[in-house]
Amino acid sequence: MARSGVRYEDVQRAIDALMARGEAPSVHKIREALGTGSFTTISEHLREWRRLREENRDVPPPQGMPTELQALAEALWSQAQEAANDALVHYRQEADTRVEEAHQQVAGAERRAEDAEQREAALSSRLTELDQRLDERTREQAQLQAEHDALQERLTRAQQEVETLQSRLEAARQEAREQEQAHQQALEALQTSLEQRLQQEEERNESAEARLMGLLDEARQERQAAEKAHAGREQRLERQLEDVRAQHKAREQELSEAQQARHEAERAQVTAQERETELQRQNEELAGRITERDRQLAEQAEHWQQREQQMEERLWASLEALRSEWRDARERAEDTTDSPAPEREDPA
């Protein structure tokens, strides 16, 4: 939309002034003539003026004049339009080209402005990020400085403790040297005492060794006697063991025979059970056959009874039929006897 700073009437007056001077109207010339206004607004008004001029170009001259004058006016009007069109073709093309260039420049300027805004936004974001990182680094530096101060203080205390420990170590070393001297003296006294006691122990050991040798001789004699007694006991035990082995072998033989007899008895029992089972099965089969035979006999008896009843019924029916026939024959005979004999005609 056109801005409210420059109106269409202002642009039209500037165009009329340029046309009066014989100059083709353009955006730059109109801008110079007006001294104000944006190129976009002037370009829109210029396009509107051209559109209206194109619409009014083919309007015929007013009617109501003489024919010759009207024809002359129409001819002049056509010539004027052709001359104006020929004169304005170049300016129109140039104006359109400049307007298009202006539009392209405006679009380029807008793109550059957008790029600049984007770069500005990116730079602003980058600056904000750098500020944040700077704040973080500042905080980290402050934290590191605090840690450094704490470590320095701890180092000072540690150095003081080391000095204290060194002094205590020196005192402990001095005390250890004194204790070592006292210990050496005590060791020398103890060694002297031990040597004396060792000599006394050696003397006592010699007497104890003599007594020990006597005890060893007695122990050897007792051992020999014990070995002899042990050998006799071993011989007796071996004989007893042989007797036990013989008894065990006899018991094993008896046990084997008993197991064999038990196996035979078990086999006989199994055979008897199998025989009993077979007999039971045969008895059951025989009982089934007897039951089936009884059923068949009952069915046959019932069948013969039914046939006997049927034959009896048929016999009675035949007898009744014979009786009926006999009565009929008798009645016919009686009728024949009661009726008179027919008269014979004289053959002459």
Side-chain angles (χ1 to χ4, degrees), residues 48-65:
E48 181 67 18
W49 176 79
R50 287 174 177 170
R51 185 182 63 79
L52 293 175
R53 189 185 64 176
E54 291 293 333
E55 291 178 357
N56 297 326
R57 177 178 297 175
D58 297 330
V59 176
Q63 302 293 328
M65 61 179 61

Side-chain angles (χ1 to χ4, degrees), residues 178-229:
E178 293 176 356
Q179 290 180 358
E180 185 178 0
Q181 291 177 0
H183 182 65
Q184 187 68 28
Q185 294 175 0
L187 285 176
E188 291 176 356
L190 180 61
Q191 186 175 3
T192 303
S193 175
L194 289 175
E195 288 177 354
Q196 293 176 359
R197 291 177 62 184
L198 180 61
Q199 186 176 1
Q200 294 174 1
E201 289 292 333
E202 287 178 353
E203 293 175 356
R204 285 196 297 270
N205 286 335
E206 289 177 357
S207 60
E209 186 176 357
R211 290 195 301 272
L212 181 60
M213 293 300 293
L215 293 173
L216 286 174
D217 292 336
E218 294 176 358
R220 287 193 188 97
Q221 294 175 1
E222 291 177 357
R223 180 181 177 184
Q224 290 176 358
E227 287 178 353
K228 290 179 181 179

Side-chain angles (χ1 to χ4, degrees), residues 271-323:
T271 304
Q273 289 178 355
E274 291 177 353
R275 181 62 179 170
E276 183 180 0
T277 303
E278 181 66 21
L279 290 174
Q280 289 179 357
R281 186 184 63 78
Q282 291 178 0
N283 289 332
E284 291 175 357
E285 185 177 355
L286 182 59
R289 290 179 180 178
I290 292 172
T291 303
E292 181 66 21
R293 183 63 178 172
D294 292 339
R295 186 184 62 78
Q296 291 178 358
L297 290 174
E299 290 179 354
Q300 290 179 1
E302 185 179 0
H303 178 68
W304 285 111
Q305 186 177 2
Q306 291 177 357
R307 289 189 64 183
E308 184 178 357
Q309 185 177 0
Q310 290 176 359
M311 291 178 67
E312 185 177 358
E313 290 176 356
R314 291 173 63 184
L315 181 60
W316 281 106
S318 299
L319 183 59
E320 289 293 331
L322 290 174
R323 286 179 179 178

